[in-house]
mmCIF file of all heavy atoms in Angstrom:
data_model
loop_
_atom_site.group_PDB
_atom_site.id
_atom_site.type_symbol
_atom_site.label_atom_id
_atom_site.label_comp_id
_atom_site.label_asym_id
_atom_site.label_seq_id
_atom_site.Cartn_x
_atom_site.Cartn_y
_atom_site.Cartn_z
ATOM 1 N N LYS A 1 -1.793 93.743 62.297
ATOM 2 C CA LYS A 1 -2.835 92.818 62.723
ATOM 3 C C LYS A 1 -2.170 91.588 63.325
ATOM 4 O O LYS A 1 -1.431 90.883 62.654
ATOM 5 C CB LYS A 1 -3.702 92.398 61.530
ATOM 6 C CG LYS A 1 -4.824 91.442 61.921
ATOM 7 C CD LYS A 1 -5.643 91.060 60.702
ATOM 8 C CE LYS A 1 -6.747 90.082 61.089
ATOM 9 N NZ LYS A 1 -7.538 89.675 59.919
ATOM 10 N N ILE A 2 -2.393 91.360 64.616
ATOM 11 C CA ILE A 2 -1.756 90.264 65.322
ATOM 12 C C ILE A 2 -2.712 89.081 65.401
ATOM 13 O O ILE A 2 -3.861 89.225 65.782
ATOM 14 C CB ILE A 2 -1.352 90.692 66.747
ATOM 15 C CG1 ILE A 2 -0.501 91.962 66.710
ATOM 16 C CG2 ILE A 2 -0.608 89.571 67.451
ATOM 17 C CD1 ILE A 2 0.770 91.819 65.917
ATOM 18 N N GLU A 3 -2.235 87.938 64.992
ATOM 19 C CA GLU A 3 -3.026 86.719 65.055
ATOM 20 C C GLU A 3 -2.299 85.716 65.945
ATOM 21 O O GLU A 3 -1.423 84.988 65.484
ATOM 22 C CB GLU A 3 -3.235 86.131 63.657
ATOM 23 C CG GLU A 3 -4.030 87.048 62.737
ATOM 24 C CD GLU A 3 -4.241 86.427 61.381
ATOM 25 O OE1 GLU A 3 -3.648 85.346 61.135
ATOM 26 O OE2 GLU A 3 -4.986 86.999 60.583
ATOM 27 N N PRO A 4 -2.607 85.690 67.253
ATOM 28 C CA PRO A 4 -1.907 84.770 68.152
ATOM 29 C C PRO A 4 -2.129 83.324 67.752
ATOM 30 O O PRO A 4 -3.203 82.949 67.298
ATOM 31 C CB PRO A 4 -2.541 85.064 69.522
ATOM 32 C CG PRO A 4 -3.187 86.411 69.372
ATOM 33 C CD PRO A 4 -3.614 86.491 67.932
ATOM 34 N N THR A 5 -1.080 82.525 67.922
ATOM 35 C CA THR A 5 -1.197 81.099 67.667
ATOM 36 C C THR A 5 -1.905 80.436 68.839
ATOM 37 O O THR A 5 -1.521 80.626 69.991
ATOM 38 C CB THR A 5 0.203 80.470 67.505
ATOM 39 O OG1 THR A 5 0.853 81.118 66.412
ATOM 40 C CG2 THR A 5 0.109 78.978 67.233
ATOM 41 N N GLU A 6 -2.936 79.662 68.565
ATOM 42 C CA GLU A 6 -3.678 78.987 69.618
ATOM 43 C C GLU A 6 -3.309 77.515 69.672
ATOM 44 O O GLU A 6 -3.180 76.862 68.644
ATOM 45 C CB GLU A 6 -5.189 79.122 69.379
ATOM 46 C CG GLU A 6 -5.690 80.556 69.450
ATOM 47 C CD GLU A 6 -7.190 80.629 69.265
ATOM 48 O OE1 GLU A 6 -7.815 79.546 69.142
ATOM 49 O OE2 GLU A 6 -7.726 81.733 69.240
ATOM 50 N N GLU A 7 -3.122 77.020 70.883
ATOM 51 C CA GLU A 7 -2.887 75.608 71.073
ATOM 52 C C GLU A 7 -4.222 74.986 71.488
ATOM 53 O O GLU A 7 -4.582 74.958 72.665
ATOM 54 C CB GLU A 7 -1.812 75.378 72.134
ATOM 55 C CG GLU A 7 -0.446 75.897 71.720
ATOM 56 C CD GLU A 7 0.611 75.617 72.762
ATOM 57 O OE1 GLU A 7 0.622 76.327 73.766
ATOM 58 O OE2 GLU A 7 1.407 74.695 72.565
ATOM 59 N N LYS A 8 -4.943 74.488 70.508
ATOM 60 C CA LYS A 8 -6.313 74.059 70.741
ATOM 61 C C LYS A 8 -6.416 72.800 71.595
ATOM 62 O O LYS A 8 -7.476 72.472 72.103
ATOM 63 C CB LYS A 8 -7.015 73.845 69.398
ATOM 64 C CG LYS A 8 -7.125 75.128 68.579
ATOM 65 C CD LYS A 8 -7.838 74.890 67.265
ATOM 66 C CE LYS A 8 -7.945 76.182 66.468
ATOM 67 N NZ LYS A 8 -8.630 75.981 65.164
ATOM 68 N N TRP A 9 -5.303 72.084 71.734
ATOM 69 C CA TRP A 9 -5.332 70.844 72.496
ATOM 70 C C TRP A 9 -5.323 71.069 74.005
ATOM 71 O O TRP A 9 -5.609 70.159 74.779
ATOM 72 C CB TRP A 9 -4.121 69.983 72.139
ATOM 73 C CG TRP A 9 -2.819 70.624 72.507
ATOM 74 C CD1 TRP A 9 -2.055 71.431 71.725
ATOM 75 C CD2 TRP A 9 -2.150 70.552 73.767
ATOM 76 N NE1 TRP A 9 -0.946 71.863 72.410
ATOM 77 C CE2 TRP A 9 -0.978 71.332 73.674
ATOM 78 C CE3 TRP A 9 -2.426 69.886 74.962
ATOM 79 C CZ2 TRP A 9 -0.092 71.481 74.728
ATOM 80 C CZ3 TRP A 9 -1.529 70.041 76.018
ATOM 81 C CH2 TRP A 9 -0.383 70.824 75.895
ATOM 82 N N ILE A 10 -4.986 72.275 74.464
ATOM 83 C CA ILE A 10 -4.800 72.534 75.891
ATOM 84 C C ILE A 10 -6.086 72.267 76.662
ATOM 85 O O ILE A 10 -7.128 72.860 76.374
ATOM 86 C CB ILE A 10 -4.334 73.980 76.122
ATOM 87 C CG1 ILE A 10 -2.972 74.201 75.469
ATOM 88 C CG2 ILE A 10 -4.265 74.290 77.608
ATOM 89 C CD1 ILE A 10 -2.430 75.595 75.625
ATOM 90 N N PRO A 11 -6.058 71.384 77.656
ATOM 91 C CA PRO A 11 -7.256 71.073 78.443
ATOM 92 C C PRO A 11 -7.583 72.196 79.421
ATOM 93 O O PRO A 11 -6.708 72.978 79.812
ATOM 94 C CB PRO A 11 -6.857 69.793 79.193
ATOM 95 C CG PRO A 11 -5.373 69.898 79.321
ATOM 96 C CD PRO A 11 -4.896 70.579 78.065
ATOM 97 N N LYS A 12 -8.845 72.288 79.816
ATOM 98 C CA LYS A 12 -9.254 73.322 80.767
ATOM 99 C C LYS A 12 -8.644 73.076 82.137
ATOM 100 O O LYS A 12 -8.276 74.008 82.840
ATOM 101 C CB LYS A 12 -10.787 73.366 80.854
ATOM 102 C CG LYS A 12 -11.462 73.850 79.580
ATOM 103 C CD LYS A 12 -12.971 73.910 79.740
ATOM 104 C CE LYS A 12 -13.630 74.413 78.467
ATOM 105 N NZ LYS A 12 -15.107 74.493 78.594
ATOM 106 N N GLN A 13 -8.560 71.804 82.523
ATOM 107 C CA GLN A 13 -7.941 71.447 83.798
ATOM 108 C C GLN A 13 -6.542 70.896 83.518
ATOM 109 O O GLN A 13 -6.374 69.732 83.222
ATOM 110 C CB GLN A 13 -8.803 70.408 84.533
ATOM 111 C CG GLN A 13 -10.187 70.891 84.908
ATOM 112 C CD GLN A 13 -10.146 72.061 85.884
ATOM 113 O OE1 GLN A 13 -9.267 72.148 86.745
ATOM 114 N NE2 GLN A 13 -11.086 72.977 85.741
ATOM 115 N N TRP A 14 -5.541 71.765 83.611
ATOM 116 C CA TRP A 14 -4.177 71.387 83.276
ATOM 117 C C TRP A 14 -3.597 70.484 84.360
ATOM 118 O O TRP A 14 -3.604 70.818 85.540
ATOM 119 C CB TRP A 14 -3.318 72.645 83.133
ATOM 120 C CG TRP A 14 -1.867 72.338 82.934
ATOM 121 C CD1 TRP A 14 -0.945 72.063 83.891
ATOM 122 C CD2 TRP A 14 -1.166 72.264 81.687
ATOM 123 N NE1 TRP A 14 0.281 71.825 83.321
ATOM 124 C CE2 TRP A 14 0.174 71.939 81.983
ATOM 125 C CE3 TRP A 14 -1.552 72.441 80.364
ATOM 126 C CZ2 TRP A 14 1.137 71.805 80.984
ATOM 127 C CZ3 TRP A 14 -0.591 72.306 79.385
ATOM 128 C CH2 TRP A 14 0.731 71.992 79.702
ATOM 129 N N THR A 15 -3.077 69.348 83.954
ATOM 130 C CA THR A 15 -2.363 68.463 84.863
ATOM 131 C C THR A 15 -1.427 67.569 84.057
ATOM 132 O O THR A 15 -1.772 67.135 82.953
ATOM 133 C CB THR A 15 -3.322 67.587 85.699
ATOM 134 O OG1 THR A 15 -2.553 66.590 86.395
ATOM 135 C CG2 THR A 15 -4.353 66.902 84.817
ATOM 136 N N PHE A 16 -0.255 67.300 84.592
ATOM 137 C CA PHE A 16 0.706 66.453 83.897
ATOM 138 C C PHE A 16 0.277 64.994 83.895
ATOM 139 O O PHE A 16 0.929 64.165 83.268
ATOM 140 C CB PHE A 16 2.090 66.591 84.537
ATOM 141 C CG PHE A 16 2.763 67.896 84.214
ATOM 142 C CD1 PHE A 16 2.918 68.874 85.181
ATOM 143 C CD2 PHE A 16 3.237 68.153 82.934
ATOM 144 C CE1 PHE A 16 3.539 70.076 84.877
ATOM 145 C CE2 PHE A 16 3.855 69.350 82.620
ATOM 146 C CZ PHE A 16 4.013 70.318 83.604
ATOM 147 N N ASP A 17 -0.792 64.689 84.593
ATOM 148 C CA ASP A 17 -1.298 63.316 84.589
ATOM 149 C C ASP A 17 -2.069 63.004 83.306
ATOM 150 O O ASP A 17 -2.366 61.837 83.041
ATOM 151 C CB ASP A 17 -2.200 63.081 85.801
ATOM 152 C CG ASP A 17 -1.419 63.131 87.106
ATOM 153 O OD1 ASP A 17 -0.270 62.657 87.118
ATOM 154 O OD2 ASP A 17 -1.950 63.651 88.103
ATOM 155 N N LEU A 18 -2.404 64.036 82.539
ATOM 156 C CA LEU A 18 -3.134 63.831 81.290
ATOM 157 C C LEU A 18 -2.159 63.458 80.176
ATOM 158 O O LEU A 18 -1.104 64.084 80.025
ATOM 159 C CB LEU A 18 -3.900 65.093 80.902
ATOM 160 C CG LEU A 18 -5.049 65.510 81.824
ATOM 161 C CD1 LEU A 18 -5.647 66.821 81.356
ATOM 162 C CD2 LEU A 18 -6.117 64.431 81.859
ATOM 163 N N ILE A 19 -2.524 62.474 79.382
ATOM 164 C CA ILE A 19 -1.635 61.994 78.334
ATOM 165 C C ILE A 19 -1.386 63.056 77.272
ATOM 166 O O ILE A 19 -0.281 63.165 76.737
ATOM 167 C CB ILE A 19 -2.199 60.694 77.699
ATOM 168 C CG1 ILE A 19 -1.142 60.092 76.760
ATOM 169 C CG2 ILE A 19 -3.522 60.956 76.979
ATOM 170 C CD1 ILE A 19 -1.516 58.717 76.260
ATOM 171 N N GLU A 20 -2.404 63.898 76.968
ATOM 172 C CA GLU A 20 -2.208 64.916 75.933
ATOM 173 C C GLU A 20 -1.225 65.998 76.388
ATOM 174 O O GLU A 20 -0.496 66.568 75.570
ATOM 175 C CB GLU A 20 -3.536 65.547 75.511
ATOM 176 C CG GLU A 20 -4.326 66.196 76.641
ATOM 177 C CD GLU A 20 -5.397 65.280 77.180
ATOM 178 O OE1 GLU A 20 -5.092 64.092 77.366
ATOM 179 O OE2 GLU A 20 -6.531 65.759 77.409
ATOM 180 N N VAL A 21 -1.187 66.278 77.681
ATOM 181 C CA VAL A 21 -0.220 67.247 78.196
ATOM 182 C C VAL A 21 1.197 66.709 78.041
ATOM 183 O O VAL A 21 2.113 67.412 77.595
ATOM 184 C CB VAL A 21 -0.520 67.579 79.669
ATOM 185 C CG1 VAL A 21 0.615 68.418 80.270
ATOM 186 C CG2 VAL A 21 -1.840 68.333 79.780
ATOM 187 N N ALA A 22 1.383 65.439 78.402
ATOM 188 C CA ALA A 22 2.700 64.822 78.277
ATOM 189 C C ALA A 22 3.139 64.731 76.818
ATOM 190 O O ALA A 22 4.305 64.971 76.486
ATOM 191 C CB ALA A 22 2.683 63.442 78.912
ATOM 192 N N GLU A 23 2.206 64.399 75.936
ATOM 193 C CA GLU A 23 2.531 64.252 74.519
ATOM 194 C C GLU A 23 2.969 65.566 73.885
ATOM 195 O O GLU A 23 3.825 65.589 73.005
ATOM 196 C CB GLU A 23 1.329 63.684 73.761
ATOM 197 C CG GLU A 23 1.058 62.212 74.036
ATOM 198 C CD GLU A 23 -0.166 61.708 73.310
ATOM 199 O OE1 GLU A 23 -0.996 62.551 72.882
ATOM 200 O OE2 GLU A 23 -0.310 60.482 73.172
ATOM 201 N N HIS A 24 2.376 66.671 74.316
ATOM 202 C CA HIS A 24 2.670 67.971 73.715
ATOM 203 C C HIS A 24 3.688 68.777 74.523
ATOM 204 O O HIS A 24 3.961 69.932 74.180
ATOM 205 C CB HIS A 24 1.385 68.803 73.581
ATOM 206 C CG HIS A 24 0.422 68.275 72.570
ATOM 207 N ND1 HIS A 24 -0.523 67.313 72.872
ATOM 208 C CD2 HIS A 24 0.258 68.557 71.256
ATOM 209 C CE1 HIS A 24 -1.235 67.043 71.793
ATOM 210 N NE2 HIS A 24 -0.777 67.781 70.798
ATOM 211 N N PHE A 25 4.256 68.197 75.560
ATOM 212 C CA PHE A 25 5.097 68.978 76.484
ATOM 213 C C PHE A 25 6.244 69.686 75.786
ATOM 214 O O PHE A 25 6.457 70.890 75.974
ATOM 215 C CB PHE A 25 5.651 68.075 77.589
ATOM 216 C CG PHE A 25 6.675 68.776 78.448
ATOM 217 C CD1 PHE A 25 6.270 69.675 79.416
ATOM 218 C CD2 PHE A 25 8.035 68.549 78.270
ATOM 219 C CE1 PHE A 25 7.211 70.345 80.203
ATOM 220 C CE2 PHE A 25 8.975 69.212 79.050
ATOM 221 C CZ PHE A 25 8.560 70.105 80.028
ATOM 222 N N GLU A 26 7.020 68.977 74.984
ATOM 223 C CA GLU A 26 8.218 69.557 74.386
ATOM 224 C C GLU A 26 7.895 70.775 73.524
ATOM 225 O O GLU A 26 8.577 71.806 73.597
ATOM 226 C CB GLU A 26 8.950 68.499 73.554
ATOM 227 C CG GLU A 26 9.549 67.365 74.364
ATOM 228 C CD GLU A 26 10.691 67.812 75.262
ATOM 229 O OE1 GLU A 26 11.288 68.869 74.989
ATOM 230 O OE2 GLU A 26 10.971 67.115 76.249
ATOM 231 N N ALA A 27 6.862 70.674 72.704
ATOM 232 C CA ALA A 27 6.491 71.798 71.843
ATOM 233 C C ALA A 27 5.845 72.915 72.659
ATOM 234 O O ALA A 27 6.116 74.104 72.430
ATOM 235 C CB ALA A 27 5.544 71.325 70.745
ATOM 236 N N HIS A 28 5.013 72.545 73.617
ATOM 237 C CA HIS A 28 4.274 73.538 74.399
ATOM 238 C C HIS A 28 5.203 74.412 75.236
ATOM 239 O O HIS A 28 5.051 75.638 75.274
ATOM 240 C CB HIS A 28 3.266 72.827 75.304
ATOM 241 C CG HIS A 28 2.554 73.758 76.238
ATOM 242 N ND1 HIS A 28 1.596 74.656 75.807
ATOM 243 C CD2 HIS A 28 2.662 73.942 77.586
ATOM 244 C CE1 HIS A 28 1.138 75.350 76.840
ATOM 245 N NE2 HIS A 28 1.770 74.930 77.929
ATOM 246 N N VAL A 29 6.166 73.791 75.924
ATOM 247 C CA VAL A 29 7.029 74.569 76.804
ATOM 248 C C VAL A 29 7.863 75.564 76.004
ATOM 249 O O VAL A 29 8.138 76.680 76.453
ATOM 250 C CB VAL A 29 7.935 73.634 77.651
ATOM 251 C CG1 VAL A 29 9.004 72.962 76.795
ATOM 252 C CG2 VAL A 29 8.574 74.403 78.798
ATOM 253 N N ARG A 30 8.231 75.216 74.787
ATOM 254 C CA ARG A 30 9.019 76.130 73.962
ATOM 255 C C ARG A 30 8.150 77.192 73.300
ATOM 256 O O ARG A 30 8.625 78.287 72.995
ATOM 257 C CB ARG A 30 9.792 75.329 72.911
ATOM 258 C CG ARG A 30 10.940 74.527 73.531
ATOM 259 C CD ARG A 30 11.585 73.570 72.549
ATOM 260 N NE ARG A 30 12.777 72.950 73.124
ATOM 261 C CZ ARG A 30 12.739 71.884 73.918
ATOM 262 N NH1 ARG A 30 11.570 71.314 74.220
ATOM 263 N NH2 ARG A 30 13.861 71.382 74.427
ATOM 264 N N GLN A 31 6.880 76.877 73.083
ATOM 265 C CA GLN A 31 5.969 77.873 72.534
ATOM 266 C C GLN A 31 5.651 78.936 73.584
ATOM 267 O O GLN A 31 5.602 80.129 73.291
ATOM 268 C CB GLN A 31 4.679 77.195 72.045
ATOM 269 C CG GLN A 31 3.798 78.056 71.156
ATOM 270 C CD GLN A 31 2.842 78.944 71.933
ATOM 271 O OE1 GLN A 31 2.546 78.694 73.088
ATOM 272 N NE2 GLN A 31 2.364 79.996 71.286
ATOM 273 N N GLN A 32 5.459 78.508 74.821
ATOM 274 C CA GLN A 32 5.133 79.431 75.892
ATOM 275 C C GLN A 32 6.366 80.153 76.454
ATOM 276 O O GLN A 32 6.278 81.292 76.893
ATOM 277 C CB GLN A 32 4.441 78.667 77.034
ATOM 278 C CG GLN A 32 3.074 78.105 76.668
ATOM 279 C CD GLN A 32 2.062 79.199 76.395
ATOM 280 O OE1 GLN A 32 1.962 80.161 77.155
ATOM 281 N NE2 GLN A 32 1.313 79.065 75.319
ATOM 282 N N LEU A 33 7.504 79.457 76.433
ATOM 283 C CA LEU A 33 8.740 80.014 76.981
ATOM 284 C C LEU A 33 9.845 79.932 75.930
ATOM 285 O O LEU A 33 10.628 78.988 75.915
ATOM 286 C CB LEU A 33 9.159 79.242 78.238
ATOM 287 C CG LEU A 33 8.094 79.079 79.325
ATOM 288 C CD1 LEU A 33 8.604 78.177 80.425
ATOM 289 C CD2 LEU A 33 7.686 80.435 79.888
ATOM 290 N N PRO A 34 9.941 80.897 75.023
ATOM 291 C CA PRO A 34 10.930 80.843 73.945
ATOM 292 C C PRO A 34 12.375 80.772 74.444
ATOM 293 O O PRO A 34 13.268 80.389 73.696
ATOM 294 C CB PRO A 34 10.673 82.138 73.169
ATOM 295 C CG PRO A 34 9.278 82.524 73.504
ATOM 296 C CD PRO A 34 9.058 82.078 74.908
ATOM 297 N N TRP A 35 12.592 81.141 75.699
ATOM 298 C CA TRP A 35 13.939 81.117 76.270
ATOM 299 C C TRP A 35 14.241 79.789 76.958
ATOM 300 O O TRP A 35 15.277 79.659 77.637
ATOM 301 C CB TRP A 35 14.103 82.259 77.278
ATOM 302 C CG TRP A 35 12.896 82.503 78.144
ATOM 303 C CD1 TRP A 35 11.925 83.440 77.938
ATOM 304 C CD2 TRP A 35 12.515 81.793 79.336
ATOM 305 N NE1 TRP A 35 10.971 83.378 78.926
ATOM 306 C CE2 TRP A 35 11.299 82.368 79.807
ATOM 307 C CE3 TRP A 35 13.070 80.743 80.059
ATOM 308 C CZ2 TRP A 35 10.648 81.926 80.952
ATOM 309 C CZ3 TRP A 35 12.419 80.285 81.201
ATOM 310 C CH2 TRP A 35 11.226 80.871 81.640
ATOM 311 N N TYR A 36 13.399 78.787 76.803
ATOM 312 C CA TYR A 36 13.549 77.520 77.518
ATOM 313 C C TYR A 36 14.890 76.849 77.226
ATOM 314 O O TYR A 36 15.589 76.406 78.140
ATOM 315 C CB TYR A 36 12.394 76.587 77.154
ATOM 316 C CG TYR A 36 12.439 75.239 77.844
ATOM 317 C CD1 TYR A 36 12.119 75.119 79.195
ATOM 318 C CD2 TYR A 36 12.782 74.076 77.146
ATOM 319 C CE1 TYR A 36 12.150 73.886 79.833
ATOM 320 C CE2 TYR A 36 12.817 72.849 77.778
ATOM 321 C CZ TYR A 36 12.502 72.754 79.119
ATOM 322 O OH TYR A 36 12.542 71.531 79.744
ATOM 323 N N ASP A 37 15.278 76.763 75.965
ATOM 324 C CA ASP A 37 16.539 76.109 75.620
ATOM 325 C C ASP A 37 17.747 76.914 76.095
ATOM 326 O O ASP A 37 18.773 76.342 76.477
ATOM 327 C CB ASP A 37 16.626 75.861 74.115
ATOM 328 C CG ASP A 37 15.683 74.746 73.672
ATOM 329 O OD1 ASP A 37 15.765 73.639 74.236
ATOM 330 O OD2 ASP A 37 14.855 74.986 72.773
ATOM 331 N N THR A 38 17.632 78.241 76.090
ATOM 332 C CA THR A 38 18.697 79.076 76.640
ATOM 333 C C THR A 38 18.844 78.818 78.129
ATOM 334 O O THR A 38 19.962 78.781 78.668
ATOM 335 C CB THR A 38 18.389 80.568 76.390
ATOM 336 O OG1 THR A 38 18.253 80.795 74.986
ATOM 337 C CG2 THR A 38 19.491 81.446 76.943
ATOM 338 N N LEU A 39 17.722 78.630 78.800
ATOM 339 C CA LEU A 39 17.737 78.300 80.222
ATOM 340 C C LEU A 39 18.464 76.984 80.469
ATOM 341 O O LEU A 39 19.279 76.870 81.399
ATOM 342 C CB LEU A 39 16.308 78.219 80.745
ATOM 343 C CG LEU A 39 16.108 77.631 82.143
ATOM 344 C CD1 LEU A 39 16.818 78.481 83.186
ATOM 345 C CD2 LEU A 39 14.618 77.526 82.458
ATOM 346 N N LEU A 40 18.213 75.982 79.643
ATOM 347 C CA LEU A 40 18.877 74.692 79.798
ATOM 348 C C LEU A 40 20.391 74.822 79.645
ATOM 349 O O LEU A 40 21.163 74.185 80.373
ATOM 350 C CB LEU A 40 18.328 73.690 78.781
ATOM 351 C CG LEU A 40 16.870 73.245 78.966
ATOM 352 C CD1 LEU A 40 16.447 72.334 77.823
ATOM 353 C CD2 LEU A 40 16.685 72.530 80.307
ATOM 354 N N VAL A 41 20.810 75.658 78.706
ATOM 355 C CA VAL A 41 22.247 75.884 78.524
ATOM 356 C C VAL A 41 22.849 76.519 79.777
ATOM 357 O O VAL A 41 23.957 76.164 80.206
ATOM 358 C CB VAL A 41 22.501 76.773 77.289
ATOM 359 C CG1 VAL A 41 23.974 77.167 77.203
ATOM 360 C CG2 VAL A 41 22.082 76.048 76.023
ATOM 361 N N SER A 42 22.117 77.452 80.388
ATOM 362 C CA SER A 42 22.597 78.084 81.615
ATOM 363 C C SER A 42 22.736 77.062 82.737
ATOM 364 O O SER A 42 23.717 77.082 83.497
ATOM 365 C CB SER A 42 21.634 79.204 82.036
ATOM 366 O OG SER A 42 21.555 80.204 81.039
ATOM 367 N N ILE A 43 21.754 76.162 82.851
ATOM 368 C CA ILE A 43 21.821 75.116 83.865
ATOM 369 C C ILE A 43 23.037 74.226 83.634
ATOM 370 O O ILE A 43 23.713 73.796 84.575
ATOM 371 C CB ILE A 43 20.525 74.287 83.869
ATOM 372 C CG1 ILE A 43 19.359 75.149 84.372
ATOM 373 C CG2 ILE A 43 20.662 73.036 84.728
ATOM 374 C CD1 ILE A 43 18.004 74.478 84.269
ATOM 375 N N ALA A 44 23.342 73.949 82.378
ATOM 376 C CA ALA A 44 24.519 73.144 82.050
ATOM 377 C C ALA A 44 25.805 73.832 82.519
ATOM 378 O O ALA A 44 26.719 73.178 83.032
ATOM 379 C CB ALA A 44 24.576 72.882 80.549
ATOM 380 N N HIS A 45 25.877 75.153 82.371
ATOM 381 C CA HIS A 45 27.054 75.899 82.823
ATOM 382 C C HIS A 45 27.176 75.844 84.348
ATOM 383 O O HIS A 45 28.275 75.652 84.884
ATOM 384 C CB HIS A 45 26.973 77.353 82.352
ATOM 385 C CG HIS A 45 27.326 77.547 80.914
ATOM 386 N ND1 HIS A 45 28.595 77.324 80.422
ATOM 387 C CD2 HIS A 45 26.572 77.941 79.851
ATOM 388 C CE1 HIS A 45 28.618 77.572 79.120
ATOM 389 N NE2 HIS A 45 27.408 77.942 78.748
#
């Protein structure tokens, strides 16, 4: 039984101009893209 985690704060009209998007950015990008930090390491190389 799969119970996906929901991010209830996500606005219907996504834009980085919204304060809630900016506030949740760090957690959201890693929740949606689990490889995000690995990507950053690659960019560093």
Side-chain angles (χ1 to χ4, degrees):
K1 181 180 179 181
I2 307 301
E3 297 181 353
T5 301
E6 296 182 3
E7 295 182 284
K8 297 181 180 179
W9 63 269
I10 297 179
K12 293 182 179 180
Q13 297 297 326
W14 174 277
T15 170
F16 286 109
D17 293 323
L18 294 176
I19 189 171
E20 58 263 44
V21 171
E23 288 178 342
H24 291 87
F25 172 77
E26 293 293 339
H28 174 72
V29 71
R30 288 171 173 83
Q31 194 274 340
Q32 294 294 314
L33 308 174
W35 40 263
Y36 180 74
D37 288 305
T38 302
L39 169 62
L40 292 176
V41 172
S42 299
I43 292 173
H45 282 294

